[in-house]
Amino acid sequence: EAAVTQSPRNKVTVTGGNVTLSCRQTNSHNYMYWYRQDTGHGLRLIHYSYGAGNLQIGDVPDGYKATRTTQEDFFLLLELASPSQTSLYFCASSHWGETLYFGSGTRLTVL
Amino acid sequence: AQKVTQTQTSISVMEKTTVTMDCVYETRDSSYFLFWYKQTASGEIVFLIRQDSYKKENATEGHYSLNFQKPKSSIGLIITATQIEDSAVYFCAMRGITGNTGKLIFGLGTTLQVQP
């Protein structure tokens, strides 16, 4: 089973602040994803990548940047955080876009 | 556009009984993959079971099985001999093959409560 580690587990920032969420997977999966989960909206895809240096836009990308620095590492960047970005964020990985394996999530609060 | 719909918001069952959770999907892809995930009270999302559209046989995994009805675009999750620890939110998800994007579309989830 894929091992996907997210950090931090919890993060509080202020409006306009800079936030970086980190994700590392150790099973040599090529695809990695960032989702956000909100009540009433379920899981929504922000960005994803199929390899180092690659970035694909998801369904709710506004206000987010992402970078895949290596096969293992995928980062989500919020450069001017807003209260609407308060959410539970999940990273996931998969082999060629098949079964996704999720990290434990990062709860972000923007005050 | 692809869409996944779970019409049951919540279900409550007695322990050791069988429960079925419904899911219908929309896609124009000729081949696709269907998944069920479980989100525990701690927030962890765990993969349960998968059905590939080209397979006629329903997938099974432990006390989870699927009722795949392709003409109805339906993929139900069946949990037999439910246990208290099965209480969780269950998500249905789909991935089409068009563009091979790897994008998974999720339903909004069904909350299952198993009573002792």
Side-chain angles (χ1 to χ4, degrees):
Chain A
E1 187 173 329
V4 182
T5 304
Q6 292 183 236
S7 62
R9 289 300 308 272
N10 293 282
K11 176 72 177 179
V12 180
T13 190
V14 295
T15 299
N18 232 329
V19 176
T20 298
L21 306 185
S22 302
C23 179
R24 165 165 281 203
Q25 56 93 6
T26 58
N27 270 39
S28 301
H29 286 169
N30 53 347
Y31 277 84
M32 293 186 75
Y33 310 80
W34 280 105
Y35 282 86
R36 62 177 288 175
Q37 185 179 30
D38 305 285
T39 304
H41 293 281
L43 285 152
R44 295 181 290 175
L45 182 63
I46 304 170
H47 290 301
Y48 65 106
S49 165
Y50 54 73
N54 174 263
L55 181 65
Q56 302 293 315
I57 295 173
D59 300 319
V60 290
D62 293 346
Y64 301 96
K65 293 184 180 179
T67 180
R68 181 90 176 268
T69 54
T70 65
Q71 180 83 342
E72 296 77 22
D73 298 300
F74 196 30
F75 300 93
L76 185 67
L77 296 80
L78 292 74
E79 293 184 331
L80 287 171
S82 73
S84 65
Q85 294 175 308
T86 293
S87 187
L88 181 57
Y89 291 86
F90 286 97
C91 177
S93 72
S94 75
H95 184 64
W96 290 107
E98 297 197 349
T99 303
L100 266 66
Y101 295 93
F102 285 83
S104 299
T106 294
R107 187 166 294 281
L108 175 66
T109 302
V110 184
L111 302 175
Chain B
Q2 298 182 333
K3 188 177 179 181
V4 174
T5 303
Q6 296 178 250
T7 56
Q8 302 156 305
T9 304
S10 64
I11 302 174
S12 182
V13 300
M14 300 302 294
E15 192 178 13
K16 300 178 184 176
T17 61
T18 295
V19 63
T20 298
M21 283 176 266
D22 301 329
C23 176
V24 292
Y25 56 90
E26 298 174 23
T27 181
R28 292 183 179 178
D29 287 347
S30 57
S31 289
Y32 46 89
F33 305 95
L34 300 163
F35 305 85
W36 279 91
Y37 286 83
K38 167 184 177 181
Q39 187 170 29
T40 63
S42 67
E44 187 182 11
I45 300 174
V46 179
F47 164 70
L48 295 178
I49 191 169
R50 160 182 163 176
Q51 179 80 38
D52 297 347
S53 65
Y54 60 86
K55 294 184 178 178
K56 293 185 178 180
E57 189 173 317
N58 288 322
T60 63
E61 190 68 50
H63 76 143
Y64 303 108
S65 62
L66 297 177
N67 179 17
F68 180 40
Q69 299 184 61
K70 196 171 183 179
K72 295 184 178 181
S73 296
S74 170
I75 183 75
L77 173 69
I78 303 166
I79 307 176
T80 57
T82 52
Q83 304 163 12
I84 301 296
E85 50 266 34
D86 291 324
S87 297
V89 180
Y90 290 81
F91 292 98
C92 177
M94 175 183 66
R95 178 175 89 78
I97 64 166
T98 299
N100 196 24
T101 65
K103 290 174 60 174
L104 215 62
I105 307 298
F106 285 84
L108 294 183
T110 297
T111 300
L112 174 66
Q113 187 170 16
V114 181
Q115 310 272 13

